[in-house]
Amino acid sequence: MRVNFTVNGRRHEADDVWEGESLLYVLRERMGLPGSKNACEQGECGSCTVRLDGVPVCSCLVAAGQVEGRDVVTVEGLADFAAHRSDAHPGTGCAPGACGTALDSARRWKAAPAGEETRDTGELSPIQQAFIDAGAVQCGFCTPGLLVAADELLERTPQPSDADIREALSGNLCRCTGYEKILDAVRLAAARAEETV
Amino acid sequence: MGVTGSPTNINQGTRTKGGIGESTLRPDGILKVTGEFAYSSDMWHEDMLWGHTLRSTVAHAEIASIDISEALATSGVYAVLTYDDLPTAMKNYGLEIQDTPVLAHGRVRHHGEPVALVAADHPETARRAAAKIRIDYRELPVVTDEASATAPGAPLIHEGRDDHHIGHVPHPNIVHRQPIVRGDAEAAKARADVVVTGDYYFGMQDQAFLGPESGLAVPAEDGGVDLYVATQWLHSDLRQIAPVLGLPEDKVRMTLSGVGGAFGGREDLSMQIHACLLALRTGKPVKIVYNRFESFFGHVHRHPARLHYEHGATRDGKLTHMKCRIVLDGGAYASASPAVVGNASSLAVGPYVIEDVDIEALALYTNNPPCGAMRGFGAVQACFAYEAQMDKLAAELGMDPVRFRQLNAMEQGTLLPTGQQVDSPAPVAELLRRVKAMPMPPERQWESAGEHPDVRALPGGLSNTTHGEGVVRGVGYAVGLKNVGFSEGFDDYSTARVRMEVIGGEPVATVHTAMAEVGQGGVTVHAQIARTELGVAQVTIHPADTKVGSAGSTSASRQTYVTGGAVKNSCEAVREQVLEMGRRKFGTYHPAWATAELLLEGGKVVTDGGEVLADVADVLEDEAVDIELEWRHRPTEAFDLRTGQGNGHVQYSFAAHRAVVEVDTELGLVKVIELACAQDVGKALNPLSVVGQIQGGTIQGMGIAVMEEIMVDPVTAKVRNPSFTDYLLPTILDTPTIPVDVLELADDHAPYGLRGIGEAPTLSSTPAVLAAIRNATGLELNRTPVRPEHLTGL
Ligand code: FES
Ligand code: FES
């Protein structure tokens, strides 16, 4: 089947999708966006978290057909998404299809074994920068999902309490950090946002 | 040319930023937060196929027949392989003993053992085709514990063993056994005023790294194969892969792809040989990615253990003797079991002075899942038991448990039960003092004056099952002793290639090693070392591959020590050569070239007095200095197989924990409120990463205390919970705050005085949590993990 949907603000279609494929599989294997991770593919770890019409979901549990006509944001589009939220549409986020990251720029790096290319990253979103600065990234496999979930938390609750952070991120497993530095990162992003207000 | 006849001030040769001791950020951080970092499961190749493994549904059986015809006829399937398709006579692999079949031949020995492989054009096609393979199993009785493994007439897991341990084991179903006898424990017992004994059980833990086993094998025109894979030790994989494929090692080219955590679980091979076999058979690139269910079968676990301990002490609190027996379940294949036995026995006494000991540790062959390396490696199980014993003794003597430990704490100069002297700082009493001195978290945090209780702060959290009526607090302490690096005479070396050249007018260093970056931050530290030693701002870390010599394993807390040491060593050689070039070019301009101690700093050659002699760019011009060297720490020796005596270990690391828990005694629920840690790291090369490692290790230890356990059915030896739904891992809601106090007492034998740090915090956190729960409830609690039924007595 063919699925039409918006990814990181741009319209796309995926062809030859078999009806059992998940959104995660389509993003990773058909669209060349492997940023969303495949740690359990059973809805338990949150590493595949993307936003579907603004709501954080485990993309491994979403059948590809379910996203027909809908709007998906992945970690690859997070920086642009966050920039638009603060610049173009403060406090709300973009309307579907209006803004966003083109597939080619989201995919500037391609997971082919021949020659690993690093790109000029440009701007990071505040939560991405905070994860780096706070040392919240170790192996980094949990990071994309956590970033999407944490960004959504900060959009909803710009100054979250520790209990708020824990609750919002409780669906995202991390095996490396012990979570303390992840808490630090979210606190740091919130504090920086407060300073700039 | 910026030379250099006249003396200049050091201010121009500023110290290079981002050297050791600073919290520099990860070089791979930006790629990881933007989703662009290429993990092994992200590998992709045009025209690639997907591989899938068919695994045994029973734990112990003869394979009467395998019928692959229907699978092979499935549209989209390119190959189906069984044992018969293996290309050479070498059909097994193994870290130490080659007892693990690439694909089962004739017999399966554990639930989930690989039996057949499929390659197809879609992962689902491969899975469905695998399901069409017909296997006729004739089930055999299972061996699951010591009694069944050594009973008369017990089936032998490996008949006709010919490995070098077989001569020293009392039964062929025992992989390895190590006694350690020192002094006379029986005689010393006579001096004891109190004697306590305990039987403990330590459950099977899973590494549960998040990045699944995965990789891509690409067949090459020369008949070889290129393998992109997540592993802990490229060269160890290579040594095991090449003979099975029938290829010389230089035709199996391995490149490390992004590793999503390891914790010991990637020391053994998983999909490496399978992907190569399928690629070589089909002539197409083959990608294999395990799902989580398969991952639970695809790697070895932490050995579950039964431990019997006896300790004695005098009235004034001095330990008199210790006797223990540690039985580790190694499962169906040896993996790292012999080395785990060596660690469990040699560290069984913990960080305490006890002169008279009688220790025995052994690992069994059973039909349970194979067990091998996991963070803490044999020392974890022992620590759980000896720390429980310390609390029991303190209680018997009416002493404070921390005071009692401090009275018996080892220090620099103490002899271990192996007769080896600890010849670097061993601040055990001090770490306990520090962790005890940390401020306590406030009590009853769910009560905010006059308001409704905040149920989120209660055990059970939002389930709102209590308002705190049955909640009691407990505090517990523990400390542990872990060796660093590979022990018992292993040639534990590492190799680093360092290149220095001028690019765009700036000196640039490139560090090339085969070190597996598994998340621990080795790449960060290598850049820091190169900046410190070579005085360059810009350091490139070359991808890890087998084009450079072995770096050894990213395990045993050894990588910063050994590969860090190799990078330092190679940098020093590069520096010497750069200075030599400088002397030849500019030696006549200034006498200091010949007389002074020279350094590289801020891109310049400077004297130890701070005079700048030259720009490195001018010394090198368009030449590059490129040096590859091996580096070894001081050698160790094997333990005597009867007495356990020998200088077996390189270095030790120490961590202490204080756990604060709240237990709902009515519901049987535990909330860990805080896990404070004090650890000696020798020298913190990157303080931010050090704290991150300590916190991560602490939570893995907490997991085993309160939730993590692979459940194996005792009758069928089948795994009951191979999923993240049923194998519980700590979430951010389950984890406490983790204040960390880092002590830096240099070890004079190690590069920069550093001490391996990754494992020690996993040791002491488990017994500290157990001690706190015992303190809260008064229950004995001799097993991990503690479950609600153990607390409510149901
Ligand atoms: S991969 Fe989707 S929740 Fe784990
Ligand atoms: S899982 Fe490795 S950093 Fe979170």
mmCIF file of all heavy atoms in Angstrom, chain A residues 24 37-49 58-61 171, chain B residues 724, ligand 1:
data_model
loop_
_atom_site.group_PDB
_atom_site.id
_atom_site.type_symbol
_atom_site.label_atom_id
_atom_site.label_comp_id
_atom_site.label_asym_id
_atom_site.label_seq_id
_atom_site.Cartn_x
_atom_site.Cartn_y
_atom_site.Cartn_z
ATOM 1 N N LEU A 24 7.804 2.926 12.736
ATOM 2 C CA LEU A 24 9.260 2.916 12.991
ATOM 3 C C LEU A 24 10.006 2.297 11.804
ATOM 4 O O LEU A 24 11.012 2.835 11.339
ATOM 5 C CB LEU A 24 9.561 2.133 14.272
ATOM 6 C CG LEU A 24 11.042 2.001 14.644
ATOM 7 C CD1 LEU A 24 11.662 3.361 14.941
ATOM 8 C CD2 LEU A 24 11.233 1.068 15.851
ATOM 9 N N LYS A 37 14.976 5.006 17.299
ATOM 10 C CA LYS A 37 15.708 3.750 17.545
ATOM 11 C C LYS A 37 14.790 2.565 17.803
ATOM 12 O O LYS A 37 13.662 2.718 18.238
ATOM 13 C CB LYS A 37 16.666 3.940 18.727
ATOM 14 C CG LYS A 37 17.779 4.917 18.418
ATOM 15 C CD LYS A 37 18.681 4.363 17.315
ATOM 16 C CE LYS A 37 19.598 5.407 16.754
ATOM 17 N NZ LYS A 37 19.634 5.413 15.296
ATOM 18 N N ASN A 38 15.366 1.383 17.613
ATOM 19 C CA ASN A 38 14.631 0.126 17.666
ATOM 20 C C ASN A 38 15.148 -0.752 18.804
ATOM 21 O O ASN A 38 15.721 -1.796 18.560
ATOM 22 C CB ASN A 38 14.811 -0.616 16.333
ATOM 23 C CG ASN A 38 16.282 -0.756 15.952
ATOM 24 O OD1 ASN A 38 17.124 0.028 16.385
ATOM 25 N ND2 ASN A 38 16.603 -1.754 15.149
ATOM 26 N N ALA A 39 14.940 -0.338 20.038
ATOM 27 C CA ALA A 39 15.529 -1.112 21.133
ATOM 28 C C ALA A 39 14.663 -2.271 21.590
ATOM 29 O O ALA A 39 15.180 -3.249 22.115
ATOM 30 C CB ALA A 39 15.849 -0.202 22.315
ATOM 31 N N CYS A 40 13.349 -2.185 21.442
ATOM 32 C CA CYS A 40 12.523 -3.311 21.906
ATOM 33 C C CYS A 40 11.424 -3.660 20.906
ATOM 34 O O CYS A 40 10.993 -4.795 20.830
ATOM 35 C CB CYS A 40 11.931 -3.030 23.290
ATOM 36 S SG CYS A 40 10.572 -1.850 23.286
ATOM 37 N N GLU A 41 10.959 -2.695 20.165
ATOM 38 C CA GLU A 41 9.868 -2.883 19.199
ATOM 39 C C GLU A 41 8.653 -3.531 19.845
ATOM 40 O O GLU A 41 7.942 -4.312 19.238
ATOM 41 C CB GLU A 41 10.360 -3.669 17.973
ATOM 42 C CG GLU A 41 11.493 -2.907 17.285
ATOM 43 C CD GLU A 41 11.992 -3.568 16.018
ATOM 44 O OE1 GLU A 41 11.201 -3.659 15.075
ATOM 45 O OE2 GLU A 41 13.162 -3.986 15.989
ATOM 46 N N GLN A 42 8.451 -3.216 21.127
ATOM 47 C CA GLN A 42 7.263 -3.719 21.801
ATOM 48 C C GLN A 42 6.674 -2.667 22.740
ATOM 49 O O GLN A 42 5.960 -2.999 23.672
ATOM 50 C CB GLN A 42 7.572 -5.030 22.529
ATOM 51 C CG GLN A 42 8.692 -4.914 23.521
ATOM 52 C CD GLN A 42 9.136 -6.232 24.122
ATOM 53 O OE1 GLN A 42 10.065 -6.279 24.886
ATOM 54 N NE2 GLN A 42 8.459 -7.320 23.796
ATOM 55 N N GLY A 43 7.029 -1.415 22.520
ATOM 56 C CA GLY A 43 6.378 -0.350 23.276
ATOM 57 C C GLY A 43 6.852 -0.203 24.705
ATOM 58 O O GLY A 43 6.169 0.422 25.512
ATOM 59 N N GLU A 44 7.988 -0.768 25.054
ATOM 60 C CA GLU A 44 8.413 -0.750 26.450
ATOM 61 C C GLU A 44 9.546 0.219 26.751
ATOM 62 O O GLU A 44 9.768 0.555 27.910
ATOM 63 C CB GLU A 44 8.858 -2.156 26.878
ATOM 64 C CG GLU A 44 7.742 -3.188 26.896
ATOM 65 C CD GLU A 44 6.744 -2.976 28.017
ATOM 66 O OE1 GLU A 44 6.995 -2.143 28.908
ATOM 67 O OE2 GLU A 44 5.694 -3.638 27.981
ATOM 68 N N CYS A 45 10.310 0.626 25.734
ATOM 69 C CA CYS A 45 11.541 1.351 26.053
ATOM 70 C C CYS A 45 11.531 2.815 25.645
ATOM 71 O O CYS A 45 12.326 3.602 26.136
ATOM 72 C CB CYS A 45 12.735 0.662 25.393
ATOM 73 S SG CYS A 45 12.814 0.940 23.610
ATOM 74 N N GLY A 46 10.653 3.183 24.722
ATOM 75 C CA GLY A 46 10.549 4.588 24.329
ATOM 76 C C GLY A 46 11.648 5.090 23.410
ATOM 77 O O GLY A 46 11.653 6.269 23.051
ATOM 78 N N SER A 47 12.590 4.245 23.007
ATOM 79 C CA SER A 47 13.671 4.767 22.145
ATOM 80 C C SER A 47 13.166 5.156 20.767
ATOM 81 O O SER A 47 13.864 5.825 20.021
ATOM 82 C CB SER A 47 14.831 3.794 21.988
ATOM 83 O OG SER A 47 14.598 2.599 22.590
ATOM 84 N N CYS A 48 11.972 4.703 20.400
ATOM 85 C CA CYS A 48 11.417 5.004 19.082
ATOM 86 C C CYS A 48 10.441 6.166 19.132
ATOM 87 O O CYS A 48 9.697 6.392 18.187
ATOM 88 C CB CYS A 48 10.689 3.763 18.573
ATOM 89 S SG CYS A 48 9.311 3.340 19.659
ATOM 90 N N THR A 49 10.428 6.902 20.265
ATOM 91 C CA THR A 49 9.417 7.952 20.440
ATOM 92 C C THR A 49 9.483 9.016 19.339
ATOM 93 O O THR A 49 10.544 9.574 19.071
ATOM 94 C CB THR A 49 9.589 8.636 21.809
ATOM 95 O OG1 THR A 49 9.558 7.634 22.822
ATOM 96 C CG2 THR A 49 8.477 9.659 22.061
ATOM 97 N N CYS A 58 5.071 5.728 20.809
ATOM 98 C CA CYS A 58 6.091 4.746 20.445
ATOM 99 C C CYS A 58 5.830 4.380 18.987
ATOM 100 O O CYS A 58 4.834 3.711 18.680
ATOM 101 C CB CYS A 58 5.979 3.504 21.319
ATOM 102 S SG CYS A 58 6.371 3.820 23.041
ATOM 103 N N SER A 59 6.723 4.781 18.094
ATOM 104 C CA SER A 59 6.451 4.559 16.672
ATOM 105 C C SER A 59 6.495 3.073 16.316
ATOM 106 O O SER A 59 5.987 2.659 15.281
ATOM 107 C CB SER A 59 7.420 5.351 15.799
ATOM 108 O OG SER A 59 8.746 4.956 16.035
ATOM 109 N N CYS A 60 7.077 2.248 17.194
ATOM 110 C CA CYS A 60 7.089 0.810 16.920
ATOM 111 C C CYS A 60 5.711 0.199 17.098
ATOM 112 O O CYS A 60 5.451 -0.894 16.613
ATOM 113 C CB CYS A 60 8.096 0.088 17.810
ATOM 114 S SG CYS A 60 7.676 0.073 19.562
ATOM 115 N N LEU A 61 4.825 0.897 17.819
ATOM 116 C CA LEU A 61 3.482 0.373 18.066
ATOM 117 C C LEU A 61 2.450 0.962 17.120
ATOM 118 O O LEU A 61 1.281 0.622 17.185
ATOM 119 C CB LEU A 61 3.045 0.665 19.506
ATOM 120 C CG LEU A 61 3.780 -0.069 20.616
ATOM 121 C CD1 LEU A 61 3.125 0.216 21.953
ATOM 122 C CD2 LEU A 61 3.819 -1.566 20.355
ATOM 123 N N GLY A 171 8.439 6.539 30.443
ATOM 124 C CA GLY A 171 8.297 5.531 29.387
ATOM 125 C C GLY A 171 9.555 5.347 28.558
ATOM 126 O O GLY A 171 9.543 4.626 27.565
ATOM 127 N N PHE B 724 11.070 -6.821 27.512
ATOM 128 C CA PHE B 724 11.080 -5.689 28.440
ATOM 129 C C PHE B 724 9.741 -5.530 29.158
ATOM 130 O O PHE B 724 9.619 -4.729 30.067
ATOM 131 C CB PHE B 724 11.438 -4.403 27.699
ATOM 132 C CG PHE B 724 12.919 -4.216 27.485
ATOM 133 C CD1 PHE B 724 13.391 -3.142 26.745
ATOM 134 C CD2 PHE B 724 13.840 -5.081 28.041
ATOM 135 C CE1 PHE B 724 14.753 -2.942 26.540
ATOM 136 C CE2 PHE B 724 15.204 -4.903 27.849
ATOM 137 C CZ PHE B 724 15.662 -3.830 27.098
HETATM 138 S S1 FES C 1 11.397 0.404 20.274
HETATM 139 FE FE1 FES C 1 9.445 1.261 20.473
HETATM 140 S S2 FES C 1 9.155 1.299 22.613
HETATM 141 FE FE2 FES C 1 11.032 0.221 22.390
#
